Structure formats: structure tokens, C-alpha cells
Short mmCIF file of all heavy atoms in Angstrom, two decimals:
data_model
loop_
_atom_site.label_atom_id
_atom_site.label_comp_id
_atom_site.label_asym_id
_atom_site.label_seq_id
_atom_site.Cartn_x
_atom_site.Cartn_y
_atom_site.Cartn_z
N LYS A 111 12.95 40.93 -94.41
CA LYS A 111 13.91 41.72 -95.18
C LYS A 111 13.41 43.14 -95.37
O LYS A 111 14.19 44.10 -95.35
CB LYS A 111 14.15 41.05 -96.53
CG LYS A 111 14.92 39.74 -96.43
CD LYS A 111 15.19 39.18 -97.82
CE LYS A 111 16.00 37.88 -97.72
NZ LYS A 111 16.29 37.31 -99.06
N THR A 112 12.09 43.27 -95.55
CA THR A 112 11.52 44.61 -95.73
C THR A 112 11.70 45.45 -94.48
O THR A 112 12.13 46.61 -94.55
CB THR A 112 10.02 44.52 -96.08
OG1 THR A 112 9.87 43.76 -97.26
CG2 THR A 112 9.43 45.91 -96.27
N ARG A 113 11.40 44.87 -93.32
CA ARG A 113 11.58 45.60 -92.06
C ARG A 113 13.04 45.94 -91.84
O ARG A 113 13.39 47.03 -91.41
CB ARG A 113 11.05 44.79 -90.89
CG ARG A 113 9.53 44.69 -90.82
CD ARG A 113 9.11 43.86 -89.64
NE ARG A 113 9.58 44.48 -88.40
CZ ARG A 113 9.63 43.84 -87.23
NH1 ARG A 113 9.24 42.57 -87.16
NH2 ARG A 113 10.03 44.45 -86.14
N ALA A 114 13.90 44.97 -92.11
CA ALA A 114 15.34 45.21 -91.92
C ALA A 114 15.83 46.32 -92.83
O ALA A 114 16.61 47.18 -92.43
CB ALA A 114 16.12 43.92 -92.19
N ALA A 115 15.35 46.32 -94.08
CA ALA A 115 15.76 47.36 -95.02
C ALA A 115 15.27 48.72 -94.57
O ALA A 115 16.00 49.72 -94.66
CB ALA A 115 15.23 47.03 -96.41
N THR A 116 14.03 48.77 -94.07
CA THR A 116 13.49 50.04 -93.58
C THR A 116 14.29 50.56 -92.40
O THR A 116 14.63 51.75 -92.33
CB THR A 116 12.01 49.86 -93.16
OG1 THR A 116 11.27 49.42 -94.29
CG2 THR A 116 11.44 51.16 -92.64
N ARG A 117 14.61 49.67 -91.46
CA ARG A 117 15.38 50.08 -90.29
C ARG A 117 16.78 50.51 -90.69
O ARG A 117 17.37 51.40 -90.09
CB ARG A 117 15.44 48.94 -89.28
CG ARG A 117 14.10 48.67 -88.62
CD ARG A 117 14.19 47.50 -87.68
NE ARG A 117 12.92 47.27 -87.00
CZ ARG A 117 12.71 46.32 -86.11
NH1 ARG A 117 13.68 45.49 -85.80
NH2 ARG A 117 11.53 46.18 -85.55
N ASN A 118 17.34 49.84 -91.68
CA ASN A 118 18.69 50.17 -92.10
C ASN A 118 18.75 51.57 -92.69
O ASN A 118 19.79 52.23 -92.65
CB ASN A 118 19.18 49.13 -93.11
CG ASN A 118 20.68 49.13 -93.25
OD1 ASN A 118 21.39 49.40 -92.30
ND2 ASN A 118 21.15 48.85 -94.46
N ARG A 119 17.63 52.02 -93.28
CA ARG A 119 17.59 53.37 -93.85
C ARG A 119 17.48 54.43 -92.77
O ARG A 119 17.79 55.60 -93.00
CB ARG A 119 16.42 53.48 -94.83
CG ARG A 119 16.65 52.74 -96.15
CD ARG A 119 15.65 53.19 -97.20
NE ARG A 119 14.29 52.87 -96.82
CZ ARG A 119 13.68 51.74 -97.15
NH1 ARG A 119 14.32 50.81 -97.83
NH2 ARG A 119 12.42 51.52 -96.79
N GLU A 120 17.01 54.05 -91.58
CA GLU A 120 16.92 55.00 -90.49
C GLU A 120 18.31 55.31 -89.95
O GLU A 120 19.19 54.44 -89.96
CB GLU A 120 16.05 54.43 -89.37
CG GLU A 120 14.61 54.17 -89.77
CD GLU A 120 13.83 53.51 -88.66
OE1 GLU A 120 14.39 53.37 -87.54
OE2 GLU A 120 12.68 53.11 -88.89
N ARG A 121 18.48 56.51 -89.47
CA ARG A 121 19.79 56.89 -88.94
C ARG A 121 20.03 56.14 -87.64
O ARG A 121 19.22 56.16 -86.72
CB ARG A 121 19.85 58.39 -88.70
CG ARG A 121 21.25 58.89 -88.28
CD ARG A 121 21.27 60.40 -88.28
NE ARG A 121 20.42 60.95 -87.24
CZ ARG A 121 20.84 61.21 -86.00
NH1 ARG A 121 22.09 60.95 -85.65
NH2 ARG A 121 20.01 61.73 -85.13
N LEU A 122 21.16 55.46 -87.58
CA LEU A 122 21.48 54.69 -86.37
C LEU A 122 22.05 55.63 -85.31
O LEU A 122 22.95 56.43 -85.58
CB LEU A 122 22.50 53.61 -86.71
CG LEU A 122 22.70 52.52 -85.65
CD1 LEU A 122 21.40 51.75 -85.45
CD2 LEU A 122 23.81 51.57 -86.06
N THR A 123 21.51 55.55 -84.11
CA THR A 123 21.96 56.37 -82.98
C THR A 123 22.14 55.47 -81.77
O THR A 123 21.66 54.34 -81.74
CB THR A 123 20.93 57.46 -82.63
OG1 THR A 123 19.71 56.83 -82.22
CG2 THR A 123 20.66 58.36 -83.84
N ARG A 124 22.81 55.99 -80.76
CA ARG A 124 22.96 55.23 -79.52
C ARG A 124 21.59 54.96 -78.91
O ARG A 124 21.34 53.86 -78.41
CB ARG A 124 23.83 56.01 -78.53
CG ARG A 124 24.02 55.28 -77.19
CD ARG A 124 24.90 56.08 -76.24
NE ARG A 124 24.98 55.43 -74.93
CZ ARG A 124 25.85 54.50 -74.60
NH1 ARG A 124 26.75 54.10 -75.49
NH2 ARG A 124 25.86 53.97 -73.38
N GLU A 125 20.71 55.96 -78.94
CA GLU A 125 19.39 55.78 -78.36
C GLU A 125 18.63 54.66 -79.05
O GLU A 125 17.97 53.85 -78.39
CB GLU A 125 18.59 57.09 -78.46
CG GLU A 125 19.09 58.21 -77.55
CD GLU A 125 20.39 58.84 -78.06
OE1 GLU A 125 20.71 58.66 -79.27
OE2 GLU A 125 21.08 59.48 -77.24
N ARG A 126 18.73 54.59 -80.35
CA ARG A 126 18.02 53.55 -81.10
C ARG A 126 18.60 52.17 -80.78
O ARG A 126 17.86 51.19 -80.63
CB ARG A 126 18.14 53.84 -82.59
CG ARG A 126 17.37 52.88 -83.46
CD ARG A 126 17.51 53.25 -84.93
NE ARG A 126 17.17 52.10 -85.78
CZ ARG A 126 17.70 51.89 -86.97
NH1 ARG A 126 18.58 52.74 -87.46
NH2 ARG A 126 17.33 50.84 -87.68
N VAL A 127 19.91 52.09 -80.63
CA VAL A 127 20.55 50.82 -80.29
C VAL A 127 20.11 50.36 -78.91
O VAL A 127 19.77 49.19 -78.70
CB VAL A 127 22.09 50.96 -80.36
CG1 VAL A 127 22.77 49.72 -79.79
CG2 VAL A 127 22.54 51.20 -81.80
N VAL A 128 20.11 51.29 -77.95
CA VAL A 128 19.72 50.94 -76.58
C VAL A 128 18.25 50.54 -76.52
O VAL A 128 17.89 49.58 -75.82
CB VAL A 128 20.02 52.12 -75.62
CG1 VAL A 128 19.40 51.87 -74.25
CG2 VAL A 128 21.52 52.33 -75.49
N GLU A 129 17.39 51.25 -77.22
CA GLU A 129 15.97 50.90 -77.24
C GLU A 129 15.77 49.49 -77.80
O GLU A 129 14.95 48.72 -77.28
CB GLU A 129 15.18 51.90 -78.09
CG GLU A 129 14.93 53.25 -77.42
CD GLU A 129 13.95 53.15 -76.26
OE1 GLU A 129 13.19 52.16 -76.19
OE2 GLU A 129 13.96 54.06 -75.42
N ALA A 130 16.50 49.16 -78.84
CA ALA A 130 16.39 47.83 -79.42
C ALA A 130 16.85 46.77 -78.41
O ALA A 130 16.21 45.72 -78.26
CB ALA A 130 17.22 47.75 -80.70
N ALA A 131 17.94 47.05 -77.72
CA ALA A 131 18.46 46.11 -76.72
C ALA A 131 17.47 45.93 -75.57
O ALA A 131 17.27 44.81 -75.08
CB ALA A 131 19.81 46.59 -76.20
N LEU A 132 16.84 47.03 -75.14
CA LEU A 132 15.85 46.96 -74.06
C LEU A 132 14.65 46.13 -74.50
O LEU A 132 14.13 45.30 -73.73
CB LEU A 132 15.41 48.36 -73.65
CG LEU A 132 14.29 48.45 -72.61
CD1 LEU A 132 14.68 47.74 -71.32
CD2 LEU A 132 13.94 49.91 -72.33
N HIS A 133 14.21 46.33 -75.72
CA HIS A 133 13.08 45.55 -76.24
C HIS A 133 13.40 44.05 -76.25
O HIS A 133 12.57 43.22 -75.85
CB HIS A 133 12.73 46.02 -77.65
CG HIS A 133 11.68 45.18 -78.33
ND1 HIS A 133 10.36 45.20 -77.97
CD2 HIS A 133 11.79 44.25 -79.33
CE1 HIS A 133 9.69 44.35 -78.72
NE2 HIS A 133 10.53 43.75 -79.55
N ILE A 134 14.60 43.72 -76.65
CA ILE A 134 15.02 42.32 -76.67
C ILE A 134 15.06 41.76 -75.26
O ILE A 134 14.58 40.64 -75.00
CB ILE A 134 16.39 42.18 -77.36
CG1 ILE A 134 16.28 42.54 -78.85
CG2 ILE A 134 16.95 40.77 -77.20
CD1 ILE A 134 17.62 42.70 -79.54
N MET A 135 15.61 42.52 -74.33
CA MET A 135 15.67 42.06 -72.94
C MET A 135 14.27 41.82 -72.38
O MET A 135 14.01 40.81 -71.73
CB MET A 135 16.42 43.07 -72.06
CG MET A 135 16.60 42.60 -70.62
SD MET A 135 17.37 43.83 -69.53
CE MET A 135 15.95 44.89 -69.17
N ASP A 136 13.35 42.75 -72.64
CA ASP A 136 11.99 42.63 -72.10
C ASP A 136 11.24 41.44 -72.70
O ASP A 136 10.44 40.80 -72.01
CB ASP A 136 11.21 43.92 -72.37
CG ASP A 136 11.62 45.06 -71.47
OD1 ASP A 136 12.28 44.81 -70.45
OD2 ASP A 136 11.28 46.22 -71.79
N THR A 137 11.46 41.16 -73.96
CA THR A 137 10.66 40.15 -74.64
C THR A 137 11.32 38.78 -74.72
O THR A 137 10.63 37.76 -74.79
CB THR A 137 10.32 40.61 -76.07
OG1 THR A 137 11.53 40.89 -76.79
CG2 THR A 137 9.45 41.87 -76.03
N GLU A 138 12.67 38.75 -74.71
CA GLU A 138 13.38 37.49 -74.91
C GLU A 138 14.29 37.12 -73.75
O GLU A 138 14.78 35.98 -73.70
CB GLU A 138 14.19 37.55 -76.21
CG GLU A 138 13.35 37.84 -77.45
CD GLU A 138 14.19 38.01 -78.69
OE1 GLU A 138 15.30 37.42 -78.76
OE2 GLU A 138 13.77 38.75 -79.60
N GLY A 139 14.55 38.06 -72.85
CA GLY A 139 15.42 37.78 -71.72
C GLY A 139 16.79 38.39 -71.88
O GLY A 139 17.22 38.73 -73.00
N LEU A 140 17.50 38.52 -70.77
CA LEU A 140 18.80 39.19 -70.78
C LEU A 140 19.83 38.42 -71.61
O LEU A 140 20.66 39.01 -72.30
CB LEU A 140 19.30 39.36 -69.34
CG LEU A 140 20.63 40.10 -69.17
CD1 LEU A 140 20.56 41.50 -69.77
CD2 LEU A 140 21.01 40.19 -67.69
N ASP A 141 19.79 37.09 -71.56
CA ASP A 141 20.77 36.30 -72.31
C ASP A 141 20.65 36.52 -73.82
O ASP A 141 21.63 36.29 -74.56
CB ASP A 141 20.59 34.81 -72.01
CG ASP A 141 21.04 34.44 -70.61
OD1 ASP A 141 21.78 35.23 -70.00
OD2 ASP A 141 20.65 33.37 -70.12
N ALA A 142 19.48 36.96 -74.27
CA ALA A 142 19.29 37.19 -75.70
C ALA A 142 19.94 38.49 -76.18
O ALA A 142 20.08 38.70 -77.39
CB ALA A 142 17.80 37.21 -76.04
N VAL A 143 20.33 39.36 -75.25
CA VAL A 143 20.93 40.64 -75.62
C VAL A 143 22.40 40.42 -76.00
O VAL A 143 23.28 40.37 -75.14
CB VAL A 143 20.81 41.67 -74.49
CG1 VAL A 143 21.43 43.01 -74.93
CG2 VAL A 143 19.36 41.87 -74.09
N THR A 144 22.64 40.25 -77.28
CA THR A 144 23.99 40.13 -77.82
C THR A 144 24.16 41.19 -78.90
O THR A 144 23.18 41.73 -79.43
CB THR A 144 24.23 38.74 -78.43
OG1 THR A 144 23.37 38.58 -79.57
CG2 THR A 144 23.95 37.64 -77.40
N MET A 145 25.38 41.49 -79.22
CA MET A 145 25.63 42.50 -80.25
C MET A 145 25.03 42.07 -81.58
O MET A 145 24.43 42.88 -82.30
CB MET A 145 27.13 42.76 -80.38
CG MET A 145 27.80 43.26 -79.10
SD MET A 145 27.13 44.84 -78.51
CE MET A 145 28.05 45.99 -79.52
N ARG A 146 25.15 40.80 -81.91
CA ARG A 146 24.58 40.31 -83.17
C ARG A 146 23.06 40.40 -83.18
O ARG A 146 22.45 40.77 -84.18
CB ARG A 146 25.02 38.87 -83.42
CG ARG A 146 26.49 38.73 -83.82
CD ARG A 146 26.82 37.29 -84.18
NE ARG A 146 28.20 37.16 -84.60
CZ ARG A 146 28.76 36.03 -85.00
NH1 ARG A 146 28.02 34.91 -85.02
NH2 ARG A 146 30.02 35.99 -85.38
N ARG A 147 22.45 40.04 -82.04
CA ARG A 147 20.98 40.07 -81.98
C ARG A 147 20.48 41.50 -82.07
O ARG A 147 19.48 41.77 -82.75
CB ARG A 147 20.51 39.41 -80.68
CG ARG A 147 19.00 39.46 -80.48
CD ARG A 147 18.28 38.61 -81.51
NE ARG A 147 16.84 38.77 -81.40
CZ ARG A 147 16.14 39.72 -82.00
NH1 ARG A 147 16.76 40.60 -82.80
NH2 ARG A 147 14.83 39.81 -81.86
N VAL A 148 21.13 42.42 -81.41
CA VAL A 148 20.73 43.83 -81.47
C VAL A 148 20.92 44.37 -82.88
O VAL A 148 20.07 45.10 -83.41
CB VAL A 148 21.51 44.67 -80.45
CG1 VAL A 148 21.19 46.15 -80.62
CG2 VAL A 148 21.19 44.22 -79.02
N ALA A 149 22.04 44.01 -83.50
CA ALA A 149 22.29 44.45 -84.87
C ALA A 149 21.19 43.96 -85.81
O ALA A 149 20.70 44.71 -86.67
CB ALA A 149 23.66 43.96 -85.33
#
């Protein structure tokens, strides 16, 4: 919750969303890249 709260305070940008999706793909696989998981 602490990490989520910290990230939520950061300004959301397209670059940040894409970076998060790339991290998920690299670590968990392409099937793990969903809008809910990235959010």
C-alpha cells in the first residue's frame, strides 16, 4: 500500500505507463500485461 500510494502521488504519464508495462512483460511475460495489472 505504501508503494502504491507513493506511485499514485507521482504524475501519471504515457512514458510511465509504458515503462511499467515493459517491466511486467520482462519479468512476468506478455500474457501478464493487462490494463488492470499495469494500473
Side-chain angles (χ1 to χ4, degrees):
K111 290 183 178 180
T112 301
R113 288 180 61 196
T116 300
R117 290 178 178 181
N118 199 32
R119 287 195 297 269
E120 297 176 7
R121 186 171 67 90
L122 194 62
T123 63
R124 179 180 175 88
E125 290 74 19
R126 184 179 160 210
V127 171
V128 170
E129 284 290 340
L132 175 59
H133 174 72
I134 293 169
M135 184 184 80
D136 285 344
T137 57
E138 302 175 28
L140 183 58
D141 289 342
V143 181
T144 65
M145 300 299 277
R146 287 186 178 182
R147 177 67 186 87
V148 174

